[in-house]
Amino acid sequence: MSLEVSVKPTLEEVIEFVRDYSGDHKSVMTEHTRLEADLGITGDEGVELLEEAEKKFGVSFVTEERSFQETFGLGDNEYLFHAEGLDLLGIGRLVSWLRKEPRPVVRDLSVGELWRVLRMVQL
């Protein structure tokens, strides 16, 4: 009978993962580096980074017991990345305003927050 032992990733491993994913090998990355504001990772690219992180570190951000929002501590109208696409005329925002929909809140995920979530969900 063999037991698999999970090793929780170090902050340095997560920084190296983000560095490799973003292709940014020149900037200084710390736990405070923000994926969107500092590295320009947003929209589909942000979703792909999270999918790659799941594969690399052998975790799942969504389980039968835990939703994506719970894993990342997001509220009802909170998201990790801005949506891609241009709304040059502001029509999408106007329609949302007319429907009285609240403006989405984007919580810019930091490398340190990603590291803490990866350690929390590590199997």
Side-chain angles (χ1 to χ4, degrees), residues 76-112:
D76 288 339
N77 199 37
E78 288 186 310
Y79 303 91
L80 293 179
F81 303 102
H82 282 94
E84 291 183 9
L86 295 175
D87 185 15
L88 297 176
L89 301 175
I91 294 171
R93 183 65 207 130
L94 175 62
V95 170
S96 294
W97 179 76
L98 290 171
R99 292 181 179 166
K100 300 187 185 315
E101 295 173 352
R103 185 175 285 233
V105 176
V106 176
R107 266 202 14 227
D108 200 351
L109 187 66
S110 72
V111 172

Side-chain angles (χ1 to χ4, degrees), residues 8 25-26 70:
K8 294 184 181 206
H25 295 279
K26 294 181 181 179
E70 290 172 314

Side-chain angles (χ1 to χ4, degrees), residues 3-121:
L3 293 173
E4 286 188 35
V5 178
S6 298
V7 178
K8 294 184 181 206
T10 65
L11 177 59
E12 292 75 24
E13 289 171 326
V14 175
I15 289 172
E16 191 59 32
F17 164 75
V18 172
R19 182 179 308 286
D20 289 343
Y21 182 86
S22 69
D24 185 343
H25 295 279
K26 294 181 181 179
S27 299
V28 174
M29 285 191 201
T30 70
E31 68 181 296
H32 304 290
T33 301
R34 295 170 298 167
L35 298 181
E36 192 166 56
D38 298 329
L39 301 175
I41 298 171
T42 191
D44 291 341
E45 191 177 16
V47 173
E48 290 170 10
L49 176 135
L50 295 177
E51 290 171 352
E52 290 301 314
E54 285 180 316
K55 291 177 193 172
K56 166 98 175 141
F57 298 106
V59 300
S60 181
F61 295 132
V62 179
T63 65
E64 289 182 20
E65 299 83 28
R66 185 184 62 245
S67 71
F68 184 84
Q69 286 79 10
E70 290 172 314
T71 298
F72 285 92
L74 299 173
D76 288 339
N77 199 37
E78 288 186 310
Y79 303 91
L80 293 179
F81 303 102
H82 282 94
E84 291 183 9
L86 295 175
D87 185 15
L88 297 176
L89 301 175
I91 294 171
R93 183 65 207 130
L94 175 62
V95 170
S96 294
W97 179 76
L98 290 171
R99 292 181 179 166
K100 300 187 185 315
E101 295 173 352
R103 185 175 285 233
V105 176
V106 176
R107 266 202 14 227
D108 200 351
L109 187 66
S110 72
V111 172
E113 289 168 326
L114 176 59
W115 172 60
R116 285 185 280 285
V117 168
L118 285 166
R119 292 178 61 83
M120 176 188 74
V121 298

